[in-house]
Amino acid sequence: MRKIYLCVAALYLGIVASHAQTKALPVKDSSNYETRKLKIEEINIISAYYHQNGNNSAVTGGIGTENLTDFANTFDLQLSKYGASGKKHTFTFELGVDHYTSASSDKIDPNSISSASRQDTRVYPSLNWTVSNDKTGNAFGLTGSYSHEFDYQSFGGGINLIRVSKDKNTQFDFKGMVFLDTWKVILPVELRPPGYGSGSNKDDRPVDHSPRNSFSTSFSLSQVLTTRLQALLIIEPSYQHGLLATKYQRDYFTDGSERVENLPGSRYKLPIAVRFNYFLDDHFVIRTFYRYYMDNWGIRAHTAEVEIPVKLTSFVSVSPYYRYNNQQGTRYFATYGQHKPTDTYYTSDYDLSTLHSNFVGANIRLSPPTGVFGWQHFNSLEIRAGHYMRSTGLNSNIITLAMKFK
């Protein structure tokens, strides 16, 4: 179910960043600061409801219901102070809580009322510290995170670095992250060895635990090309090692046999993306995005997106958007009952298949100068809704509410 969370998280990032300032601005000199006390700079509260439906569940070998709902919430608190040297220290605490229900996961053990992962709550706090120079725009930061779900827990850590040119028209960003995960190896009921547990908290029988470690980096270079046009290049290589297969997902073979999913224990990923923002006038911005993705499992994908924010008034804007994705699937994928008995690696997870998809939606943002509903500190209110359609038959809807307080 972590794939769903990644989708929702990406939408969170999009709604937070969609109205960020993209033109180079003069940097305010804060060397003559008045206080060094820690103060609240910003609070963000984001909630999203996600629902999907389809008929290609990987839990039952590529057939069966994919019905799933997820209610995700994120609370973000940003504090800041200036140190003795005049540099700004920003502390960002984020707490995320997701709750999902999954009809397909109930098929891991259909006869059990406590089927593993049928529903679960994921909790994921994180803390970031960044020190920045208001004169130059340069910054350095550290991040720590933790995540816990029914069948896994994760510890994360990372660094981020920002360097800005003297004319403020060029910016380089670097991020490096490490996630050290531990999976509870849950197996389909009919494929469990004698004495092997279900993974339920009410089941005292033992189950295996396996590691999965992820290492990711991000290099981005943004450039103000003209007073109206800005470009951004992003390269995000990553590497995973450990248990990458989901062992409660079944695979069926041409000889009638059944096994649990098996995939290589390592994976390299290389996404390369470009973004162009064009300020047409005071009321229209055209944002375009393209990404090429490749990995050593044979997956290749092209993603293109366009978003056009329209400023209706000085404090109301609407942003329709559209995204198209075309993916060539992994060499390890086959549909229900089509895997060869001699195959070493195999999956019937349609997320890894050849497919194309469309995602369409819109965002509305309110940011009145007197505050939302007349509350001065209620800086902005955003509502974002989208509909996803995939060639495999999967369809989903998501609605996101974001509130910013300053």
Side-chain angles (χ1 to χ4, degrees), residues 240 242-245 261-269 293-300 328-333 345 347 352:
Q240 289 182 296
L243 179 60
L244 304 185
E261 181 180 81
N262 192 38
L263 291 168
S266 63
R267 188 179 185 185
Y268 299 91
K269 303 178 183 179
Y293 170 90
M294 62 180 297
D295 65 25
N296 64 327
W297 289 6
I299 294 179
R300 303 290 184 268
Q328 172 189 307
T330 176
R331 64 180 71 94
Y332 310 124
F333 175 84
Y345 300 114
T347 180
L352 304 176

PDB file of all heavy atoms in Angstrom, residues 240 242-245 261-269 293-300 328-333 345 347 352:
ATOM      1  N   GLN A 240      18.057   0.754  -4.269  1.00  0.00           N
ATOM      2  CA  GLN A 240      17.407  -0.010  -3.215  1.00  0.00           C
ATOM      3  C   GLN A 240      18.033  -1.391  -3.115  1.00  0.00           C
ATOM      4  O   GLN A 240      18.429  -1.985  -4.134  1.00  0.00           O
ATOM      5  CB  GLN A 240      15.912  -0.170  -3.489  1.00  0.00           C
ATOM      6  CG  GLN A 240      15.104   1.108  -3.332  1.00  0.00           C
ATOM      7  CD  GLN A 240      13.626   0.853  -3.573  1.00  0.00           C
ATOM      8  OE1 GLN A 240      13.225   0.489  -4.680  1.00  0.00           O
ATOM      9  NE2 GLN A 240      12.814   1.042  -2.548  1.00  0.00           N
ATOM     10  N   GLY A 242      17.664  -5.174  -0.692  1.00  0.00           N
ATOM     11  CA  GLY A 242      16.973  -5.925   0.349  1.00  0.00           C
ATOM     12  C   GLY A 242      15.753  -6.623  -0.213  1.00  0.00           C
ATOM     13  O   GLY A 242      15.719  -7.013  -1.388  1.00  0.00           O
ATOM     14  N   LEU A 243      14.733  -6.790   0.617  1.00  0.00           N
ATOM     15  CA  LEU A 243      13.494  -7.431   0.184  1.00  0.00           C
ATOM     16  C   LEU A 243      12.654  -6.417  -0.582  1.00  0.00           C
ATOM     17  O   LEU A 243      12.009  -5.554   0.009  1.00  0.00           O
ATOM     18  CB  LEU A 243      12.721  -7.968   1.394  1.00  0.00           C
ATOM     19  CG  LEU A 243      11.382  -8.640   1.073  1.00  0.00           C
ATOM     20  CD1 LEU A 243      11.570  -9.843   0.156  1.00  0.00           C
ATOM     21  CD2 LEU A 243      10.657  -9.037   2.355  1.00  0.00           C
ATOM     22  N   LEU A 244      12.642  -6.530  -1.906  1.00  0.00           N
ATOM     23  CA  LEU A 244      11.894  -5.609  -2.758  1.00  0.00           C
ATOM     24  C   LEU A 244      10.592  -6.228  -3.275  1.00  0.00           C
ATOM     25  O   LEU A 244       9.758  -5.523  -3.839  1.00  0.00           O
ATOM     26  CB  LEU A 244      12.757  -5.148  -3.929  1.00  0.00           C
ATOM     27  CG  LEU A 244      14.101  -4.502  -3.553  1.00  0.00           C
ATOM     28  CD1 LEU A 244      14.806  -3.981  -4.800  1.00  0.00           C
ATOM     29  CD2 LEU A 244      13.916  -3.388  -2.530  1.00  0.00           C
ATOM     30  N   ALA A 245      10.444  -7.532  -3.105  1.00  0.00           N
ATOM     31  CA  ALA A 245       9.196  -8.199  -3.474  1.00  0.00           C
ATOM     32  C   ALA A 245       8.221  -8.129  -2.305  1.00  0.00           C
ATOM     33  O   ALA A 245       8.626  -8.103  -1.144  1.00  0.00           O
ATOM     34  CB  ALA A 245       9.469  -9.651  -3.844  1.00  0.00           C
ATOM     35  N   GLU A 261       5.360 -13.716  -4.824  1.00  0.00           N
ATOM     36  CA  GLU A 261       6.115 -12.824  -5.713  1.00  0.00           C
ATOM     37  C   GLU A 261       7.612 -12.883  -5.406  1.00  0.00           C
ATOM     38  O   GLU A 261       8.030 -12.919  -4.246  1.00  0.00           O
ATOM     39  CB  GLU A 261       5.613 -11.395  -5.549  1.00  0.00           C
ATOM     40  CG  GLU A 261       6.305 -10.379  -6.454  1.00  0.00           C
ATOM     41  CD  GLU A 261       5.765  -8.973  -6.245  1.00  0.00           C
ATOM     42  OE1 GLU A 261       6.200  -8.314  -5.286  1.00  0.00           O
ATOM     43  OE2 GLU A 261       4.895  -8.554  -7.031  1.00  0.00           O
ATOM     44  N   ASN A 262       8.415 -12.885  -6.454  1.00  0.00           N
ATOM     45  CA  ASN A 262       9.869 -12.889  -6.288  1.00  0.00           C
ATOM     46  C   ASN A 262      10.487 -11.900  -7.277  1.00  0.00           C
ATOM     47  O   ASN A 262      10.245 -11.982  -8.485  1.00  0.00           O
ATOM     48  CB  ASN A 262      10.446 -14.284  -6.535  1.00  0.00           C
ATOM     49  CG  ASN A 262      11.891 -14.372  -6.088  1.00  0.00           C
ATOM     50  OD1 ASN A 262      12.264 -13.802  -5.060  1.00  0.00           O
ATOM     51  ND2 ASN A 262      12.712 -15.075  -6.849  1.00  0.00           N
ATOM     52  N   LEU A 263      11.244 -10.936  -6.757  1.00  0.00           N
ATOM     53  CA  LEU A 263      11.902  -9.912  -7.564  1.00  0.00           C
ATOM     54  C   LEU A 263      13.351  -9.777  -7.137  1.00  0.00           C
ATOM     55  O   LEU A 263      13.712 -10.184  -6.023  1.00  0.00           O
ATOM     56  CB  LEU A 263      11.163  -8.569  -7.407  1.00  0.00           C
ATOM     57  CG  LEU A 263       9.767  -8.491  -8.030  1.00  0.00           C
ATOM     58  CD1 LEU A 263       9.033  -7.243  -7.563  1.00  0.00           C
ATOM     59  CD2 LEU A 263       9.845  -8.534  -9.561  1.00  0.00           C
ATOM     60  N   PRO A 264      14.218  -9.200  -7.975  1.00  0.00           N
ATOM     61  CA  PRO A 264      15.627  -9.043  -7.600  1.00  0.00           C
ATOM     62  C   PRO A 264      15.783  -8.277  -6.289  1.00  0.00           C
ATOM     63  O   PRO A 264      14.925  -7.461  -5.912  1.00  0.00           O
ATOM     64  CB  PRO A 264      16.211  -8.253  -8.774  1.00  0.00           C
ATOM     65  CG  PRO A 264      15.320  -8.571  -9.926  1.00  0.00           C
ATOM     66  CD  PRO A 264      13.948  -8.717  -9.345  1.00  0.00           C
ATOM     67  N   GLY A 265      16.894  -8.517  -5.607  1.00  0.00           N
ATOM     68  CA  GLY A 265      17.152  -7.886  -4.322  1.00  0.00           C
ATOM     69  C   GLY A 265      17.803  -6.527  -4.429  1.00  0.00           C
ATOM     70  O   GLY A 265      18.193  -5.948  -3.399  1.00  0.00           O
ATOM     71  N   SER A 266      17.948  -6.004  -5.639  1.00  0.00           N
ATOM     72  CA  SER A 266      18.511  -4.661  -5.796  1.00  0.00           C
ATOM     73  C   SER A 266      17.827  -3.975  -6.976  1.00  0.00           C
ATOM     74  O   SER A 266      17.351  -4.635  -7.908  1.00  0.00           O
ATOM     75  CB  SER A 266      20.022  -4.706  -6.025  1.00  0.00           C
ATOM     76  OG  SER A 266      20.324  -5.391  -7.229  1.00  0.00           O
ATOM     77  N   ARG A 267      17.806  -2.640  -6.924  1.00  0.00           N
ATOM     78  CA  ARG A 267      17.149  -1.883  -7.994  1.00  0.00           C
ATOM     79  C   ARG A 267      17.763  -0.497  -8.095  1.00  0.00           C
ATOM     80  O   ARG A 267      17.900   0.208  -7.095  1.00  0.00           O
ATOM     81  CB  ARG A 267      15.649  -1.759  -7.690  1.00  0.00           C
ATOM     82  CG  ARG A 267      14.819  -1.167  -8.825  1.00  0.00           C
ATOM     83  CD  ARG A 267      13.358  -1.113  -8.428  1.00  0.00           C
ATOM     84  NE  ARG A 267      12.506  -0.668  -9.531  1.00  0.00           N
ATOM     85  CZ  ARG A 267      11.196  -0.442  -9.412  1.00  0.00           C
ATOM     86  NH1 ARG A 267      10.594  -0.639  -8.245  1.00  0.00           N
ATOM     87  NH2 ARG A 267      10.491  -0.038 -10.462  1.00  0.00           N
ATOM     88  N   TYR A 268      18.167  -0.141  -9.305  1.00  0.00           N
ATOM     89  CA  TYR A 268      18.662   1.199  -9.600  1.00  0.00           C
ATOM     90  C   TYR A 268      17.568   1.974 -10.340  1.00  0.00           C
ATOM     91  O   TYR A 268      16.922   1.433 -11.232  1.00  0.00           O
ATOM     92  CB  TYR A 268      19.913   1.140 -10.486  1.00  0.00           C
ATOM     93  CG  TYR A 268      21.084   0.421  -9.874  1.00  0.00           C
ATOM     94  CD1 TYR A 268      21.272  -0.936 -10.079  1.00  0.00           C
ATOM     95  CD2 TYR A 268      22.007   1.113  -9.103  1.00  0.00           C
ATOM     96  CE1 TYR A 268      22.358  -1.605  -9.518  1.00  0.00           C
ATOM     97  CE2 TYR A 268      23.102   0.460  -8.539  1.00  0.00           C
ATOM     98  CZ  TYR A 268      23.265  -0.904  -8.751  1.00  0.00           C
ATOM     99  OH  TYR A 268      24.335  -1.561  -8.196  1.00  0.00           O
ATOM    100  N   LYS A 269      17.390   3.235  -9.972  1.00  0.00           N
ATOM    101  CA  LYS A 269      16.397   4.078 -10.634  1.00  0.00           C
ATOM    102  C   LYS A 269      17.058   5.382 -11.070  1.00  0.00           C
ATOM    103  O   LYS A 269      17.891   5.932 -10.345  1.00  0.00           O
ATOM    104  CB  LYS A 269      15.240   4.402  -9.693  1.00  0.00           C
ATOM    105  CG  LYS A 269      14.518   3.197  -9.114  1.00  0.00           C
ATOM    106  CD  LYS A 269      13.424   3.639  -8.150  1.00  0.00           C
ATOM    107  CE  LYS A 269      12.735   2.480  -7.487  1.00  0.00           C
ATOM    108  NZ  LYS A 269      11.685   2.923  -6.531  1.00  0.00           N
ATOM    109  N   TYR A 293      11.964   8.220 -17.044  1.00  0.00           N
ATOM    110  CA  TYR A 293      12.342   7.312 -15.954  1.00  0.00           C
ATOM    111  C   TYR A 293      12.878   6.007 -16.523  1.00  0.00           C
ATOM    112  O   TYR A 293      12.341   5.466 -17.488  1.00  0.00           O
ATOM    113  CB  TYR A 293      11.127   7.017 -15.072  1.00  0.00           C
ATOM    114  CG  TYR A 293      11.355   5.916 -14.060  1.00  0.00           C
ATOM    115  CD1 TYR A 293      11.844   6.201 -12.793  1.00  0.00           C
ATOM    116  CD2 TYR A 293      11.093   4.584 -14.384  1.00  0.00           C
ATOM    117  CE1 TYR A 293      12.068   5.191 -11.861  1.00  0.00           C
ATOM    118  CE2 TYR A 293      11.312   3.564 -13.464  1.00  0.00           C
ATOM    119  CZ  TYR A 293      11.797   3.873 -12.207  1.00  0.00           C
ATOM    120  OH  TYR A 293      12.022   2.867 -11.299  1.00  0.00           O
ATOM    121  N   MET A 294      13.928   5.468 -15.895  1.00  0.00           N
ATOM    122  CA  MET A 294      14.452   4.161 -16.277  1.00  0.00           C
ATOM    123  C   MET A 294      14.990   3.456 -15.038  1.00  0.00           C
ATOM    124  O   MET A 294      15.399   4.098 -14.071  1.00  0.00           O
ATOM    125  CB  MET A 294      15.571   4.304 -17.320  1.00  0.00           C
ATOM    126  CG  MET A 294      16.781   5.079 -16.843  1.00  0.00           C
ATOM    127  SD  MET A 294      18.075   5.229 -18.111  1.00  0.00           S
ATOM    128  CE  MET A 294      18.511   3.498 -18.323  1.00  0.00           C
ATOM    129  N   ASP A 295      14.958   2.121 -15.058  1.00  0.00           N
ATOM    130  CA  ASP A 295      15.590   1.349 -13.989  1.00  0.00           C
ATOM    131  C   ASP A 295      16.130   0.044 -14.552  1.00  0.00           C
ATOM    132  O   ASP A 295      15.914  -0.289 -15.728  1.00  0.00           O
ATOM    133  CB  ASP A 295      14.623   1.112 -12.818  1.00  0.00           C
ATOM    134  CG  ASP A 295      13.420   0.250 -13.189  1.00  0.00           C
ATOM    135  OD1 ASP A 295      13.506  -0.550 -14.142  1.00  0.00           O
ATOM    136  OD2 ASP A 295      12.377   0.373 -12.515  1.00  0.00           O
ATOM    137  N   ASN A 296      16.858  -0.704 -13.723  1.00  0.00           N
ATOM    138  CA  ASN A 296      17.493  -1.929 -14.202  1.00  0.00           C
ATOM    139  C   ASN A 296      16.548  -3.128 -14.204  1.00  0.00           C
ATOM    140  O   ASN A 296      16.974  -4.253 -14.484  1.00  0.00           O
ATOM    141  CB  ASN A 296      18.744  -2.246 -13.372  1.00  0.00           C
ATOM    142  CG  ASN A 296      18.434  -2.551 -11.919  1.00  0.00           C
ATOM    143  OD1 ASN A 296      17.500  -2.008 -11.343  1.00  0.00           O
ATOM    144  ND2 ASN A 296      19.212  -3.442 -11.321  1.00  0.00           N
ATOM    145  N   TRP A 297      15.275  -2.920 -13.889  1.00  0.00           N
ATOM    146  CA  TRP A 297      14.268  -3.961 -14.049  1.00  0.00           C
ATOM    147  C   TRP A 297      13.623  -3.904 -15.424  1.00  0.00           C
ATOM    148  O   TRP A 297      12.745  -4.695 -15.732  1.00  0.00           O
ATOM    149  CB  TRP A 297      13.181  -3.834 -12.984  1.00  0.00           C
ATOM    150  CG  TRP A 297      13.653  -4.220 -11.609  1.00  0.00           C
ATOM    151  CD1 TRP A 297      14.920  -4.544 -11.221  1.00  0.00           C
ATOM    152  CD2 TRP A 297      12.840  -4.319 -10.439  1.00  0.00           C
ATOM    153  NE1 TRP A 297      14.957  -4.834  -9.883  1.00  0.00           N
ATOM    154  CE2 TRP A 297      13.700  -4.708  -9.376  1.00  0.00           C
ATOM    155  CE3 TRP A 297      11.485  -4.115 -10.174  1.00  0.00           C
ATOM    156  CZ2 TRP A 297      13.235  -4.897  -8.067  1.00  0.00           C
ATOM    157  CZ3 TRP A 297      11.021  -4.307  -8.881  1.00  0.00           C
ATOM    158  CH2 TRP A 297      11.891  -4.700  -7.849  1.00  0.00           C
ATOM    159  N   GLY A 298      14.051  -2.944 -16.239  1.00  0.00           N
ATOM    160  CA  GLY A 298      13.531  -2.833 -17.600  1.00  0.00           C
ATOM    161  C   GLY A 298      12.390  -1.856 -17.758  1.00  0.00           C
ATOM    162  O   GLY A 298      11.838  -1.720 -18.861  1.00  0.00           O
ATOM    163  N   ILE A 299      12.021  -1.147 -16.717  1.00  0.00           N
ATOM    164  CA  ILE A 299      10.919  -0.176 -16.817  1.00  0.00           C
ATOM    165  C   ILE A 299      11.431   1.117 -17.440  1.00  0.00           C
ATOM    166  O   ILE A 299      12.482   1.628 -17.066  1.00  0.00           O
ATOM    167  CB  ILE A 299      10.301   0.109 -15.433  1.00  0.00           C
ATOM    168  CG1 ILE A 299       9.629  -1.154 -14.894  1.00  0.00           C
ATOM    169  CG2 ILE A 299       9.290   1.247 -15.514  1.00  0.00           C
ATOM    170  CD1 ILE A 299       9.008  -0.984 -13.522  1.00  0.00           C
ATOM    171  N   ARG A 300      10.671   1.613 -18.392  1.00  0.00           N
ATOM    172  CA  ARG A 300      10.939   2.917 -19.018  1.00  0.00           C
ATOM    173  C   ARG A 300       9.617   3.691 -19.014  1.00  0.00           C
ATOM    174  O   ARG A 300       8.572   3.124 -19.324  1.00  0.00           O
ATOM    175  CB  ARG A 300      11.450   2.757 -20.461  1.00  0.00           C
ATOM    176  CG  ARG A 300      12.714   1.898 -20.590  1.00  0.00           C
ATOM    177  CD  ARG A 300      13.922   2.607 -20.005  1.00  0.00           C
ATOM    178  NE  ARG A 300      15.139   1.834 -20.210  1.00  0.00           N
ATOM    179  CZ  ARG A 300      15.630   0.955 -19.340  1.00  0.00           C
ATOM    180  NH1 ARG A 300      14.971   0.721 -18.204  1.00  0.00           N
ATOM    181  NH2 ARG A 300      16.751   0.315 -19.584  1.00  0.00           N
ATOM    182  N   GLN A 328       6.617   1.477 -20.117  1.00  0.00           N
ATOM    183  CA  GLN A 328       6.981   0.139 -20.585  1.00  0.00           C
ATOM    184  C   GLN A 328       7.299  -0.695 -19.354  1.00  0.00           C
ATOM    185  O   GLN A 328       8.143  -0.341 -18.544  1.00  0.00           O
ATOM    186  CB  GLN A 328       8.205   0.200 -21.493  1.00  0.00           C
ATOM    187  CG  GLN A 328       8.767  -1.171 -21.884  1.00  0.00           C
ATOM    188  CD  GLN A 328      10.095  -1.049 -22.607  1.00  0.00           C
ATOM    189  OE1 GLN A 328      10.203  -0.315 -23.585  1.00  0.00           O
ATOM    190  NE2 GLN A 328      11.118  -1.740 -22.111  1.00  0.00           N
ATOM    191  N   GLY A 329       6.597  -1.827 -19.192  1.00  0.00           N
ATOM    192  CA  GLY A 329       6.686  -2.599 -17.963  1.00  0.00           C
ATOM    193  C   GLY A 329       7.973  -3.395 -17.808  1.00  0.00           C
ATOM    194  O   GLY A 329       8.766  -3.558 -18.745  1.00  0.00           O
ATOM    195  N   THR A 330       8.159  -3.929 -16.600  1.00  0.00           N
ATOM    196  CA  THR A 330       9.333  -4.738 -16.293  1.00  0.00           C
ATOM    197  C   THR A 330       9.286  -6.077 -17.027  1.00  0.00           C
ATOM    198  O   THR A 330       8.208  -6.613 -17.319  1.00  0.00           O
ATOM    199  CB  THR A 330       9.437  -4.991 -14.784  1.00  0.00           C
ATOM    200  OG1 THR A 330      10.542  -5.854 -14.525  1.00  0.00           O
ATOM    201  CG2 THR A 330       8.180  -5.641 -14.226  1.00  0.00           C
ATOM    202  N   ARG A 331      10.446  -6.611 -17.254  1.00  0.00           N
ATOM    203  CA  ARG A 331      10.560  -7.917 -17.918  1.00  0.00           C
ATOM    204  C   ARG A 331      10.047  -9.046 -17.033  1.00  0.00           C
ATOM    205  O   ARG A 331       9.835 -10.176 -17.510  1.00  0.00           O
ATOM    206  CB  ARG A 331      12.015  -8.178 -18.305  1.00  0.00           C
ATOM    207  CG  ARG A 331      12.961  -8.303 -17.121  1.00  0.00           C
ATOM    208  CD  ARG A 331      14.402  -8.561 -17.541  1.00  0.00           C
ATOM    209  NE  ARG A 331      14.974  -7.384 -18.137  1.00  0.00           N
ATOM    210  CZ  ARG A 331      15.683  -6.468 -17.461  1.00  0.00           C
ATOM    211  NH1 ARG A 331      15.850  -6.607 -16.151  1.00  0.00           N
ATOM    212  NH2 ARG A 331      16.199  -5.425 -18.063  1.00  0.00           N
ATOM    213  N   TYR A 332       9.828  -8.780 -15.757  1.00  0.00           N
ATOM    214  CA  TYR A 332       9.406  -9.820 -14.818  1.00  0.00           C
ATOM    215  C   TYR A 332       7.892  -9.932 -14.710  1.00  0.00           C
ATOM    216  O   TYR A 332       7.389 -10.808 -13.995  1.00  0.00           O
ATOM    217  CB  TYR A 332       9.993  -9.550 -13.426  1.00  0.00           C
ATOM    218  CG  TYR A 332      11.485  -9.290 -13.449  1.00  0.00           C
ATOM    219  CD1 TYR A 332      12.005  -8.110 -12.904  1.00  0.00           C
ATOM    220  CD2 TYR A 332      12.361 -10.191 -14.029  1.00  0.00           C
ATOM    221  CE1 TYR A 332      13.365  -7.855 -12.929  1.00  0.00           C
ATOM    222  CE2 TYR A 332      13.723  -9.941 -14.066  1.00  0.00           C
ATOM    223  CZ  TYR A 332      14.227  -8.764 -13.514  1.00  0.00           C
ATOM    224  OH  TYR A 332      15.576  -8.516 -13.560  1.00  0.00           O
ATOM    225  N   PHE A 333       7.160  -9.080 -15.407  1.00  0.00           N
ATOM    226  CA  PHE A 333       5.698  -9.074 -15.282  1.00  0.00           C
ATOM    227  C   PHE A 333       5.043 -10.053 -16.251  1.00  0.00           C
ATOM    228  O   PHE A 333       5.465 -10.192 -17.408  1.00  0.00           O
ATOM    229  CB  PHE A 333       5.148  -7.669 -15.543  1.00  0.00           C
ATOM    230  CG  PHE A 333       3.644  -7.621 -15.550  1.00  0.00           C
ATOM    231  CD1 PHE A 333       2.946  -7.513 -14.369  1.00  0.00           C
ATOM    232  CD2 PHE A 333       2.937  -7.706 -16.748  1.00  0.00           C
ATOM    233  CE1 PHE A 333       1.555  -7.480 -14.367  1.00  0.00           C
ATOM    234  CE2 PHE A 333       1.552  -7.682 -16.759  1.00  0.00           C
ATOM    235  CZ  PHE A 333       0.858  -7.572 -15.559  1.00  0.00           C
ATOM    236  N   TYR A 345      12.497 -14.687 -11.586  1.00  0.00           N
ATOM    237  CA  TYR A 345      11.794 -13.561 -10.989  1.00  0.00           C
ATOM    238  C   TYR A 345      10.434 -13.409 -11.661  1.00  0.00           C
ATOM    239  O   TYR A 345      10.309 -13.605 -12.880  1.00  0.00           O
ATOM    240  CB  TYR A 345      12.605 -12.278 -11.149  1.00  0.00           C
ATOM    241  CG  TYR A 345      13.969 -12.349 -10.498  1.00  0.00           C
ATOM    242  CD1 TYR A 345      15.134 -12.311 -11.268  1.00  0.00           C
ATOM    243  CD2 TYR A 345      14.090 -12.468  -9.113  1.00  0.00           C
ATOM    244  CE1 TYR A 345      16.384 -12.385 -10.673  1.00  0.00           C
ATOM    245  CE2 TYR A 345      15.333 -12.537  -8.516  1.00  0.00           C
ATOM    246  CZ  TYR A 345      16.471 -12.497  -9.293  1.00  0.00           C
ATOM    247  OH  TYR A 345      17.706 -12.571  -8.702  1.00  0.00           O
ATOM    248  N   THR A 347       6.271 -11.354 -11.210  1.00  0.00           N
ATOM    249  CA  THR A 347       5.282 -10.517 -10.541  1.00  0.00           C
ATOM    250  C   THR A 347       4.067 -10.365 -11.435  1.00  0.00           C
ATOM    251  O   THR A 347       4.179 -10.390 -12.666  1.00  0.00           O
ATOM    252  CB  THR A 347       5.851  -9.126 -10.203  1.00  0.00           C
ATOM    253  OG1 THR A 347       4.832  -8.351  -9.555  1.00  0.00           O
ATOM    254  CG2 THR A 347       6.277  -8.381 -11.465  1.00  0.00           C
ATOM    255  N   LEU A 352       3.715  -2.478 -12.248  1.00  0.00           N
ATOM    256  CA  LEU A 352       4.985  -2.721 -12.937  1.00  0.00           C
ATOM    257  C   LEU A 352       4.779  -3.177 -14.376  1.00  0.00           C
ATOM    258  O   LEU A 352       5.724  -3.591 -15.044  1.00  0.00           O
ATOM    259  CB  LEU A 352       5.804  -3.783 -12.179  1.00  0.00           C
ATOM    260  CG  LEU A 352       6.103  -3.484 -10.703  1.00  0.00           C
ATOM    261  CD1 LEU A 352       6.830  -4.662 -10.060  1.00  0.00           C
ATOM    262  CD2 LEU A 352       6.931  -2.213 -10.576  1.00  0.00           C
TER     263      LEU A 352
END
